[in-house]
Amino acid sequence: MLVLLVIVLTSASFVSKGTIPVKLPEAGSAKAPVMKMLSIVIDRKGDLFFEGKQLTFEALKHQIASLDPKKDALLIKSDARSQFQNFVKVIDLLKSRGFEKVSIETKR
């Protein structure tokens, strides 16, 4: 079960640097990340990126399997224009693996 879901908002991020073009959804409050987080990005077309490297969903499953669900922190950045189903698939994968430190990045 997904124990901890923290909404992380930042204005200067890896997305704003143009590495992977993602238009983040908006939220009303903001907090800066407090620990090193591994990033999962879902772009407008639904393509997945783990730490900047494009992967298929199956390859992402293998990457996630090598992580420690109790210690590793993950940050999900999903383009506001991508299909919600892509986001749900990633969350479901993390939940099934027992990840406790999962954050979602939005913009203010």
Side-chain angles (χ1 to χ4, degrees):
M1 176 175 212
L2 187 60
V3 176
L4 177 63
L5 180 60
V6 179
I7 298 177
V8 176
L9 307 167
T10 59
S11 58
S13 71
F14 141 112
V15 173
S16 67
K17 295 176 188 168
T19 307
I20 302 169
V22 175
K23 181 181 186 286
L24 295 173
E26 297 181 13
S29 60
K31 285 189 179 181
V34 292
M35 65 179 76
K36 168 70 175 123
M37 299 179 131
L38 302 170
S39 68
I40 299 172
V41 177
I42 305 167
D43 73 4
R44 183 179 189 170
K45 297 181 296 183
D47 293 332
L48 298 170
F49 298 83
F50 181 75
E51 289 294 287
K53 180 181 174 190
Q54 187 172 1
L55 300 172
T56 64
F57 186 73
E58 289 302 314
L60 179 63
K61 282 184 183 180
H62 292 292
Q63 285 286 336
I64 296 301
S66 68
L67 302 176
D68 183 343
K70 301 270 188 229
K71 295 181 182 176
D72 289 316
L74 296 167
L75 177 63
I76 301 172
K77 302 174 186 180
S78 182
D79 193 297
R81 300 162 295 187
S82 78
Q83 291 184 354
F84 188 60
Q85 182 61 44
N86 298 321
F87 175 78
V88 171
K89 280 177 64 174
V90 171
I91 289 291
D92 190 46
L93 171 63
L94 299 177
K95 183 178 177 181
S96 71
R97 303 283 190 205
F99 278 86
E100 297 179 358
K101 299 174 184 170
V102 178
S103 298
I104 302 165
E105 185 169 334
T106 60
K107 70 176 183 176
R108 182 172 248 181

